[in-house]
Amino acid sequence: MGTLCSVCDWLPWSLLLFSLMCETSAFYVPGVAPINFHQNDPVEIKAVKLTSSRTQLPYEYYSLPFCQPSKITYKAENLGEVLRGDRIVNTPFQVLMNSEKKCEVLCSQSNKPVTLTVEQSRLVAERITEDYYVHLIADNLPVATRLELYSNRDSDDKKKEKDVQFEHGYRLGFTDVNKIYLHNHLSFILYYHREDMEEDQEHTYRVVRFEVIPQSIRLEDLKADEKSSCTLPEGTNSSPQEIDPTKENQLYFTYSVHWEESDIKWASRWDTYLTMSDVQIHWFSIINSVVVVFFLSGILSMIIIRTLRKDIANYNKEDDIEDTMEESGWKLVHGDVFRPPQYPMILSSLLGSGIQLFCMILIVIFVAMLGMLSPSSRGALMTTACFLFMFMGVFGGFSAGRLYRTLKGHRWKKGAFCTATLYPGVVFGICFVLNCFIWGKHSSGAVPFPTMVALLCMWFGISLPLVYLGYYFGFRKQPYDNPVRTNQIPRQIPEQRWYMNRFVGILMAGILPFGAMFIELFFIFSAIWENQFYYLFGFLFLVFIILVVSCSQISIVMVYFQLCAEDYRWWWRNFLVSGGSAFYVLVYAIFYFVNKLDIVEFIPSLLYFGYTALMVLSFWLLTGTIGFYAAYMFVRKIYAAVKID
């Protein structure tokens, strides 16, 4: 128990240390070099995808009838980009470094406008009503739309201060009075930083921000000539470009380019995108979590110091042992507390997968906290997580094999196969079913068949052999040394009180760990479902440590109460109860779906709850494994401290 108390001692110092990490700006991994541009060098504008928080279905850029270049070239994506639905492709926008363009027409032949067929018009109108955003990148920097909000509304107009925020991508269009309008003119605003050079050398520039002002301008208000140049209407005299889904529509796709010099250096250019979240709310989350942990520590200290030491002292008295045996319950079950549970193979397999998840999440969050998984490396976080889960199979197999032998298991090959396939098989099965629905919608979020084959090869070619290897050595190692022997005849379990019910235990045990991390959960859900960047991994690492400590403490308290009630069947119960916070994550996910998202269709709802089920299952495995091993160490510790005749 000294370990848990020591955790509480160094926790405030760790808060101070990691707060310094949280305040630092994002930086780039050494070896990622910036691109230097000279005057009039081409700056390529690429398209990533179309996204909507209402449908959760990303689409390729050219799934809509945008202007296309003479040759379409797709970038080779990594695993994470493919799983995210990114399909990076070139566009016909011609942008030159530090070269202005007032107005230029895209895909115009002999001054003729683009004609959208009825089917194309219907598709564009449908995407606009579904609130789709278009995502472009310039020099690997995503486009953003500037939003200026007034922070003090009640004061005089002269004293109003504008609060500038940025929105990822730009809206495809908008609706007004049951009419649909398309943003067909894009005003690009690119910021550059001039690098210091020697006198005889030419100046070089680096792109540090990429903004866009989307506009809707009808065909009659745009004057185009044969050189693909155009003239924008002055002031507010123009009308927006309406898209009628019942007939053909004619329009121009146009754009303009404006350059501005900026003091922002290249290494800090992502700060605009990564500081959109409110840091004060994160600090409130950390303080809230610390209060929860100290509250738990107080309860645990009271139970352990006052109650448990008194129990052990009474049990170790040589006189009047028979009377003390009747006073308390947890020593009475010493002959059954280490009796192997039902289905030991499944239990050890689930715990092995939990160890695999724990190692993967710990390493990913720690590496991301150090800045090595920057959003500039698209898909790096998901790619790293996938590969780490595969390679952590050796640790999951080792822990599962040793526990299986401790539980008197003998079929180690079957146990290893169960560990390697049970949890990953459920994940793959759910993802495959959801992927079929995404395929049916022709979304870029559908995992291509070659990628699916590659994932299967990783599973059976990397993870499965490593799990077998770890399981073999774990099964050969000496089992955990239990301090007391198990009786041959099981002891009868007395009738339990209502509050010892398993579901009541899940509700009681889950609320405090969930309370320690629910604020951070809001930002994680926003990043996943509302297409936001999440990069405050310093806070997330702290929350993860607090989650581990709180799960361990509440698990110890729950197993102590159970043993005092003379119920020695704690193996499965403790694993289920320790993961009780996953139940609250599910409840919160339903609340988030109802109150924060505007999803109304069947397939987006199915995707949301399908992926949420995977998150809840993984979180249950993670927290259940943490609580199980904390309780197992606690049970071995207390029974080793008493004298058993």
Side-chain angles (χ1 to χ4, degrees), residues 494-548:
E495 185 179 353
Q496 300 295 302
R497 300 289 183 91
W498 66 269
Y499 53 80
M500 294 304 297
N501 182 273
R502 185 173 298 175
F503 185 71
V504 175
I506 289 174
L507 295 179
M508 292 171 58
I511 187 66
L512 288 177
F514 176 77
M517 47 82 71
F518 83 97
I519 295 179
E520 203 67 25
L521 193 65
F522 168 77
F523 293 99
I524 295 174
F525 269 63
S526 298
I528 295 174
W529 302 114
E530 298 188 40
N531 201 45
Q532 302 291 324
F533 286 121
Y534 185 90
Y535 200 62
L536 295 172
F537 288 101
F539 287 106
L540 187 60
F541 187 76
L542 275 176
V543 170
F544 183 71
I545 292 176
I546 293 170
L547 180 68
V548 171

Side-chain angles (χ1 to χ4, degrees), residues 357-372:
L357 270 175
F358 176 81
C359 296
M360 180 267 285
I361 293 173
L362 180 65
I363 296 174
V364 166
I365 296 178
F366 183 75
V367 172
M369 183 187 68
L370 299 180
M372 296 183 183

